[in-house]
Amino acid sequence: MPINFEEALKIILENAQRLPNDNITIAKAVGRVIRDDITAEINVPPFTNSAMDGYCVRLADLENASAKNPVRLKVIEDIAAGSSSDTVLGFGQTVRIMTGAPVPIGTDAVVRQEDVDEIDDEVLISHTVKLNENIRKVGEDIPVGTTVLQSGKTITPADLGVLASLGRMYIRVSEQPRVVILATGDELISIDEPLSKGKIRSSNTHSIMGLIELYGGKAWNLGKVADDKNRIKEKLYNTQHADIVITMGGVSVGKYDVVKAALAELGVEELFWKVNIKPGKPLFFGKWDQRLVFGLPGNPVSSIVCFEQFVVPLMNKMMGKSNHTQPVIKARLRNEITKKPGLRQFFRGNFQYIDGGFEVTAFDRQGSGVLTTMSFANCFILGKEDTEVLKKGEMVEVQIRDFSMWT
Ligand code: AMP
Ligand code: MG
């Protein structure tokens, strides 16, 4: 009996083993999942500095400044970024300062270069200023002692900058899930072979490898194999080092769908077969020692849908990501969709921000062999089990795709 989407996902996540830690340099860390809470041991910025090229001033000096009554200050020093100065700013004085340079003691604010008139070693300022204007206070970005990155976050390029500011060259991250893939089917040829009668190229091999890499895994491609139980067994036999084993094709009810038999003979324990979803219904999931095994249906769209809906959450949980599933938003549907009751359906579409709200259009061609609409789709429109029609103008749930950095 097929099970429902939620139950399938639950079984998969229940079987997720947390991967070990890896110590790596931050240069290689984008997309990896951090395993420590990072607490700042220093303030960032480490000293109070100027946010502008301009002039350091005291508030009291400019109290009565106006266009009619410009105040004249004497320039006593230049401070460039990277230098430091022991100068104390006195009344009637100013210091020429560059962006990022430490402000001298006594500075209340910085007046922008563009807002003063320079005359020899003096400047004329014709407006008042506010306390701390154009000044970046010590610790303003990161006060010492605060937690800046939490375990479970996916490292983004901005995070590398944060870690670099704190002087953290190495961090603990999760190891990447090692994912083995094998395409099955008598009709398959590889990308570099010429087409011949009845043959197609194994597009899945490439889509699925791309997904593994995009979502933080390490792909290990076993190529393709014919619909032959023993050949499939041979190919999969030496996969002890994998965390996840994925076969593609051959898990349906056709005469040549021999993957399930091959897996059973290898000792894979079936945890479920068939889910009430479309596309992707014949999905198989099982356990093989420490390996988790997915039998993805061969249709190119079904393979991708099953990967994104089930394999991605599993990989996320194994890596310790704080969120397992992709973000969902609400959007107004621009065209009616009919669906099969009892199934959770994933319709390829595009969402856009139009006139103050999100709108989403489902593509006409939703067949599970139409890979191009998958390539165009920035989202899946979710059709829940108990729904039969998604009406035009209705607010529908839209799952955003390719959001690998979302945590
Ligand atoms: P199957 O799941 O084996 O019944 O395959 C369903 C459909 O997907 C068939 O039309 C297959 O030719 C096609 N298919 C299976 N494997 C692949 C693959 N690796 N790349 C592209 N199409 C495939
Ligand atoms: Mg097949």
mmCIF file of all heavy atoms in Angstrom, residues 24-42:
data_model
loop_
_atom_site.group_PDB
_atom_site.id
_atom_site.type_symbol
_atom_site.label_atom_id
_atom_site.label_comp_id
_atom_site.label_asym_id
_atom_site.label_seq_id
_atom_site.Cartn_x
_atom_site.Cartn_y
_atom_site.Cartn_z
ATOM 1 N N ILE A 24 37.848 22.219 8.991
ATOM 2 C CA ILE A 24 38.298 22.696 7.680
ATOM 3 C C ILE A 24 38.666 24.181 7.730
ATOM 4 O O ILE A 24 38.250 24.904 8.631
ATOM 5 C CB ILE A 24 37.219 22.493 6.578
ATOM 6 C CG1 ILE A 24 35.950 23.281 6.896
ATOM 7 C CG2 ILE A 24 36.897 21.018 6.397
ATOM 8 C CD1 ILE A 24 35.016 23.386 5.714
ATOM 9 N N THR A 25 39.448 24.590 6.720
ATOM 10 C CA THR A 25 39.753 26.020 6.620
ATOM 11 C C THR A 25 38.534 26.730 6.040
ATOM 12 O O THR A 25 37.788 26.158 5.250
ATOM 13 C CB THR A 25 40.998 26.310 5.722
ATOM 14 O OG1 THR A 25 40.649 27.334 4.774
ATOM 15 C CG2 THR A 25 41.462 25.096 4.987
ATOM 16 N N ILE A 26 38.351 27.985 6.432
ATOM 17 C CA ILE A 26 37.152 28.686 5.977
ATOM 18 C C ILE A 26 37.161 28.888 4.459
ATOM 19 O O ILE A 26 36.118 29.074 3.854
ATOM 20 C CB ILE A 26 36.926 30.031 6.711
ATOM 21 C CG1 ILE A 26 38.008 31.050 6.395
ATOM 22 C CG2 ILE A 26 36.769 29.810 8.199
ATOM 23 C CD1 ILE A 26 37.596 32.475 6.792
ATOM 24 N N ALA A 27 38.335 28.791 3.838
ATOM 25 C CA ALA A 27 38.416 28.961 2.386
ATOM 26 C C ALA A 27 37.549 27.944 1.645
ATOM 27 O O ALA A 27 37.130 28.175 0.521
ATOM 28 C CB ALA A 27 39.864 28.846 1.932
ATOM 29 N N LYS A 28 37.294 26.817 2.278
ATOM 30 C CA LYS A 28 36.527 25.747 1.625
ATOM 31 C C LYS A 28 35.133 25.598 2.234
ATOM 32 O O LYS A 28 34.496 24.565 2.061
ATOM 33 C CB LYS A 28 37.267 24.399 1.803
ATOM 34 C CG LYS A 28 38.645 24.373 1.200
ATOM 35 C CD LYS A 28 38.561 24.038 -0.273
ATOM 36 C CE LYS A 28 39.949 24.017 -0.898
ATOM 37 N NZ LYS A 28 39.906 24.206 -2.331
ATOM 38 N N ALA A 29 34.690 26.600 2.988
ATOM 39 C CA ALA A 29 33.535 26.355 3.854
ATOM 40 C C ALA A 29 32.172 26.769 3.307
ATOM 41 O O ALA A 29 31.148 26.439 3.900
ATOM 42 C CB ALA A 29 33.770 27.012 5.208
ATOM 43 N N VAL A 30 32.127 27.461 2.167
ATOM 44 C CA VAL A 30 30.805 27.895 1.680
ATOM 45 C C VAL A 30 29.928 26.681 1.392
ATOM 46 O O VAL A 30 30.355 25.729 0.740
ATOM 47 C CB VAL A 30 30.916 28.777 0.420
ATOM 48 C CG1 VAL A 30 29.546 29.003 -0.219
ATOM 49 C CG2 VAL A 30 31.530 30.121 0.763
ATOM 50 N N GLY A 31 28.720 26.712 1.913
ATOM 51 C CA GLY A 31 27.776 25.618 1.682
ATOM 52 C C GLY A 31 27.869 24.505 2.715
ATOM 53 O O GLY A 31 27.002 23.647 2.764
ATOM 54 N N ARG A 32 28.915 24.531 3.530
ATOM 55 C CA ARG A 32 29.039 23.504 4.571
ATOM 56 C C ARG A 32 28.208 23.917 5.785
ATOM 57 O O ARG A 32 27.868 25.080 5.954
ATOM 58 C CB ARG A 32 30.527 23.330 4.970
ATOM 59 C CG ARG A 32 31.443 22.948 3.805
ATOM 60 C CD ARG A 32 31.156 21.562 3.261
ATOM 61 N NE ARG A 32 31.486 20.500 4.213
ATOM 62 C CZ ARG A 32 32.664 19.889 4.285
ATOM 63 N NH1 ARG A 32 33.650 20.223 3.474
ATOM 64 N NH2 ARG A 32 32.873 18.913 5.165
ATOM 65 N N VAL A 33 27.919 22.936 6.640
ATOM 66 C CA VAL A 33 27.069 23.218 7.791
ATOM 67 C C VAL A 33 27.931 23.265 9.054
ATOM 68 O O VAL A 33 28.618 22.294 9.378
ATOM 69 C CB VAL A 33 25.980 22.138 7.939
ATOM 70 C CG1 VAL A 33 25.099 22.424 9.146
ATOM 71 C CG2 VAL A 33 25.142 22.074 6.668
ATOM 72 N N ILE A 34 27.887 24.394 9.744
ATOM 73 C CA ILE A 34 28.768 24.587 10.893
ATOM 74 C C ILE A 34 28.260 23.767 12.074
ATOM 75 O O ILE A 34 27.056 23.593 12.261
ATOM 76 C CB ILE A 34 28.912 26.089 11.221
ATOM 77 C CG1 ILE A 34 30.080 26.338 12.153
ATOM 78 C CG2 ILE A 34 27.619 26.677 11.777
ATOM 79 C CD1 ILE A 34 30.601 27.739 12.115
ATOM 80 N N ARG A 35 29.204 23.255 12.858
ATOM 81 C CA ARG A 35 28.843 22.374 13.973
ATOM 82 C C ARG A 35 29.134 22.994 15.342
ATOM 83 O O ARG A 35 28.917 22.361 16.358
ATOM 84 C CB ARG A 35 29.617 21.048 13.845
ATOM 85 C CG ARG A 35 28.977 20.052 12.866
ATOM 86 C CD ARG A 35 27.785 19.363 13.484
ATOM 87 N NE ARG A 35 27.054 18.510 12.567
ATOM 88 C CZ ARG A 35 27.360 17.257 12.244
ATOM 89 N NH1 ARG A 35 28.434 16.702 12.741
ATOM 90 N NH2 ARG A 35 26.589 16.576 11.427
ATOM 91 N N ASP A 36 29.679 24.227 15.361
ATOM 92 C CA ASP A 36 29.928 24.897 16.636
ATOM 93 C C ASP A 36 29.145 26.199 16.679
ATOM 94 O O ASP A 36 28.889 26.789 15.644
ATOM 95 C CB ASP A 36 31.413 25.284 16.759
ATOM 96 C CG ASP A 36 32.278 24.107 17.140
ATOM 97 O OD1 ASP A 36 31.793 23.243 17.887
ATOM 98 O OD2 ASP A 36 33.435 24.068 16.689
ATOM 99 N N ASP A 37 28.804 26.644 17.889
ATOM 100 C CA ASP A 37 28.352 28.024 18.040
ATOM 101 C C ASP A 37 29.612 28.887 18.047
ATOM 102 O O ASP A 37 30.547 28.590 18.791
ATOM 103 C CB ASP A 37 27.618 28.208 19.365
ATOM 104 C CG ASP A 37 26.258 27.512 19.357
ATOM 105 O OD1 ASP A 37 25.756 27.210 18.256
ATOM 106 O OD2 ASP A 37 25.705 27.285 20.455
ATOM 107 N N ILE A 38 29.637 29.897 17.225
ATOM 108 C CA ILE A 38 30.817 30.766 17.183
ATOM 109 C C ILE A 38 30.548 32.019 18.005
ATOM 110 O O ILE A 38 29.647 32.799 17.700
ATOM 111 C CB ILE A 38 31.170 31.176 15.727
ATOM 112 C CG1 ILE A 38 31.399 29.935 14.854
ATOM 113 C CG2 ILE A 38 32.367 32.119 15.707
ATOM 114 C CD1 ILE A 38 32.683 29.189 15.112
ATOM 115 N N THR A 39 31.352 32.187 19.084
ATOM 116 C CA THR A 39 31.197 33.339 19.968
ATOM 117 C C THR A 39 32.378 34.279 19.756
ATOM 118 O O THR A 39 33.518 33.836 19.653
ATOM 119 C CB THR A 39 31.138 32.854 21.432
ATOM 120 O OG1 THR A 39 30.028 31.962 21.529
ATOM 121 C CG2 THR A 39 30.923 34.005 22.389
ATOM 122 N N ALA A 40 32.075 35.566 19.681
ATOM 123 C CA ALA A 40 33.122 36.559 19.383
ATOM 124 C C ALA A 40 34.033 36.751 20.589
ATOM 125 O O ALA A 40 33.568 37.011 21.697
ATOM 126 C CB ALA A 40 32.487 37.879 18.998
ATOM 127 N N GLU A 41 35.359 36.621 20.345
ATOM 128 C CA GLU A 41 36.330 36.850 21.413
ATOM 129 C C GLU A 41 36.857 38.277 21.379
ATOM 130 O O GLU A 41 37.627 38.697 22.238
ATOM 131 C CB GLU A 41 37.490 35.850 21.283
ATOM 132 C CG GLU A 41 37.081 34.479 21.784
ATOM 133 C CD GLU A 41 38.047 33.375 21.372
ATOM 134 O OE1 GLU A 41 39.140 33.694 20.866
ATOM 135 O OE2 GLU A 41 37.676 32.203 21.562
ATOM 136 N N ILE A 42 36.484 38.994 20.320
ATOM 137 C CA ILE A 42 36.887 40.406 20.211
ATOM 138 C C ILE A 42 35.683 41.217 19.743
ATOM 139 O O ILE A 42 34.698 40.650 19.274
ATOM 140 C CB ILE A 42 38.035 40.606 19.182
ATOM 141 C CG1 ILE A 42 37.630 40.015 17.818
ATOM 142 C CG2 ILE A 42 39.331 40.015 19.668
ATOM 143 C CD1 ILE A 42 38.444 40.534 16.650
#
